[in-house]
């Protein structure tokens, strides 16, 4: 009876990014359906939340399961968040024109509601920024299962972190823990981040900012560096050193044991960047940095969906999914 009820219950997952929103539903056996739509860029401020709910319902329809069976939804979202009347709203510069420096969004949203409209529809809602959600995914089903002292970091178009200390995933006062890509690194660099900072970690090495500064794609530069082209090699070595210094700063702050690294830059180039990053990480404060390891993320492009599910997943589902790994591999 209980097993039957469990099998009939559904979990929802939302992956909210600057360009698209993906909604998935799963039962105890695994994911059932996934639908996507472009992230709304105009309309009333609740347009994004309404789209999220419509997509979850569409995923239920596609899976052939009743919409009413969906009670719990986990969310992996682009940050940062802000509080609106005691609930989390989105203040992402990639979605909210009122937060954007680039003025290319056709809306004047400053903070858009998210938690309140979702909670009006579903009895359980959990929301994390995408890197914290990825940390939850990697600790539940990926490369750092049950590790109490670990840090997720993505090196991609941006740089973001998720922190776990003593087995506790850190959230912060507005759910914005982990925006450490904006830690200031250099007073002398002219590299500028989308946040407006000069010389922060993301300004120095993120895929987007490196490409803007170099006038060519970061993928091309890192490919050339791997092939030994001198100029590109110097740029990549510099980037690896800055990244390692960022990890060092985090390691000495948190006394962490493991870094799990995701994102497209690391996925494609982590193998040869690793020794340079490790050298910088382990260069100082040996009492804190000796033995700190760096491992590649285990879930690839599935990390957002799985992290969102994992946030609201009952332990018995976790045990089943760990055994059967019912997710479908997808290339990034
Ligand atoms: Zn920044």
């Amino acid at each position: 009876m209980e097993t039957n009820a469990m099998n009939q219950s559904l979990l929802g997952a939302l992956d909210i990014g600057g360009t698209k929103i993906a909604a998935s539903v799963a039962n105890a056996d695994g994911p059932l359906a996934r639908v996507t739509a472009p992230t709304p860029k105009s309309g009333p401020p609740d347009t994004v939340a309404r789209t999220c709910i419509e997509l979850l319902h569409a995923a239920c329809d596609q899976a052939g399961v009743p919409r009413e069976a969906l009670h719990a939804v986990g969310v992996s979202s682009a940050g940062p968040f802000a509080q609106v009347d005691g609930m989390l709203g989105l203040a992402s510069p990639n979605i909210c024109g009122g937060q954007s420096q680039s003025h290319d969004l056709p809306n004047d949203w400053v903070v858009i509601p998210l938690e309140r409209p979702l909670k009006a529809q579903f009895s359980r809602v959990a929301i994390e920024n995408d890197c914290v959600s990825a940390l939850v995914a990697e600790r539940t089903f990926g490369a750092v299962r049950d590790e109490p002292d670990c840090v997720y970091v993505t090196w991609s178009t941006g740089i973001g972190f998720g922190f776990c200390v003593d087995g506790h995933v850190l959230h912060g006062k507005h759910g914005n823990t982990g925006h450490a890509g904006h830690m200031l690194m250099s007073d002398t660099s002219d590299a500028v981040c989308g946040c407006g900072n000069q010389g922060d970690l993301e300004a120095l090495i993120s895929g987007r900012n490196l490409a803007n500064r170099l006038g060519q794609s970061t993928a091309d530069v890192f490919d050339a560096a791997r092939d030994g082209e001198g100029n590109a090699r110097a740029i990549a070595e510099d980037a690896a050193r800055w990244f390692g210094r960022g990890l060092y700063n985090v390691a000495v702050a948190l006394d962490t044991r493991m870094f799990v690294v995701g994102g497209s830059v690391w996925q494609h180039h982590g193998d040869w960047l690793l020794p340079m990053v490790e050298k910088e990480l382990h260069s100082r404060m040996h009492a804190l940095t000796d033995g700190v390891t760096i491992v590649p993320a285990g879930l690839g492009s599935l990390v957002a969906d799985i992290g969102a599910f994992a946030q609201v997943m009952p332990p018995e589902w976790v045990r089943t999914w760990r055994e059967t790994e019912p997710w479908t591999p997808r290339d990034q």
Side-chain angles (χ1 to χ4, degrees):
M1 180 73 183
E2 200 178 322
T3 307
N4 198 23
M6 195 179 85
N7 283 338
Q8 285 173 3
S9 71
L10 294 175
L11 297 183
L14 285 167
D15 169 16
I16 304 174
T19 54
K20 74 168 171 49
I21 298 172
S24 309
V25 293
N27 66 13
D29 296 327
L32 299 170
R34 183 177 196 268
V35 295
T36 65
T39 305
K41 293 288 160 65
S42 60
D46 67 345
T47 306
V48 170
R50 276 193 295 109
T51 300
C52 289
I53 293 165
E54 286 164 13
L55 287 171
L56 284 166
H57 286 160
C60 289
D61 297 348
Q62 188 178 310
V65 293
R67 295 176 175 186
E68 308 76 56
L70 184 56
H71 298 291
V73 174
V75 183
S76 163
S77 176
F81 303 123
Q83 290 275 335
V84 199
D85 301 330
M87 299 251 192
L88 287 185
L90 276 187
S92 170
N94 296 325
I95 298 171
C96 299
Q99 302 280 2
S100 175
Q101 307 263 339
S102 55
H103 309 291
D104 59 354
L105 288 167
N107 69 69
D108 58 1
W109 305 333
V110 178
V111 181
I112 53 175
L114 184 65
E115 188 177 9
R116 186 176 298 279
L118 291 177
K119 281 191 165 165
Q121 192 76 32
F122 308 105
S123 57
R124 180 149 182 245
V125 175
I127 300 172
E128 298 285 6
N129 86 54
D130 41 19
C131 286
V132 175
S133 184
L135 169 72
V136 172
E138 291 290 338
R139 289 191 71 235
T140 311
F141 296 114
V144 286
R145 289 187 187 190
D146 301 325
E147 170 55 51
D149 292 291
C150 59
V151 169
Y152 178 87
V153 52
T154 184
W155 185 353
S156 182
T157 50
I159 307 282
F161 293 79
F163 303 131
C164 187
V165 181
D166 298 336
H168 300 291
V169 173
L170 305 187
H171 304 279
K173 66 186 188 298
H174 294 157
N176 289 325
T177 297
H179 283 73
H182 307 289
M183 68 169 99
L184 292 168
M185 307 290 284
S186 166
D187 266 344
T188 53
S189 168
D190 58 0
V192 179
C193 178
C195 75
N197 276 342
Q198 202 165 320
D200 71 13
L201 182 61
E202 186 164 313
L204 290 162
I205 68 163
S206 82
R208 183 192 294 122
N209 292 330
L210 261 183
N212 287 344
R213 203 158 81 248
L214 301 172
Q216 58 179 317
S217 85
T218 298
D220 287 349
V221 174
F222 276 65
D223 284 345
R226 183 173 47 201
D227 296 342
E229 199 269 295
N231 220 358
R233 186 83 194 176
I235 291 165
E237 283 176 5
D238 233 29
R241 191 170 51 81
W242 286 121
F243 187 65
R245 187 166 294 190
L247 299 194
Y248 166 86
N249 289 344
V250 168
V252 296
L254 298 182
D255 196 14
T256 200
R257 182 179 285 114
M258 293 177 84
F259 288 96
V260 53
V261 189
S264 56
V265 172
W266 198 258
Q267 189 185 18
H268 293 116
H269 301 286
D271 52 345
W272 62 272
L273 291 170
L274 180 65
M276 294 182 271
V277 174
E278 281 180 331
K279 187 176 171 205
E280 186 70 16
L281 167 63
H282 295 140
S283 61
R284 305 168 177 83
M285 282 296 284
H286 296 284
L288 289 164
T289 59
D290 278 1
V292 177
T293 53
I294 301 173
V295 298
L299 295 168
S301 60
L302 293 160
V303 74
D305 294 353
I306 293 179
F309 280 131
Q311 288 175 50
V312 290
M313 191 173 283
E316 58 272 21
W317 286 36
V318 172
R319 282 195 292 274
T320 305
W321 284 37
R322 280 184 171 185
E323 281 168 21
T324 59
E325 304 201 341
W327 46 83
T328 317
R330 279 199 314 270
D331 289 332
Q332 216 157 14

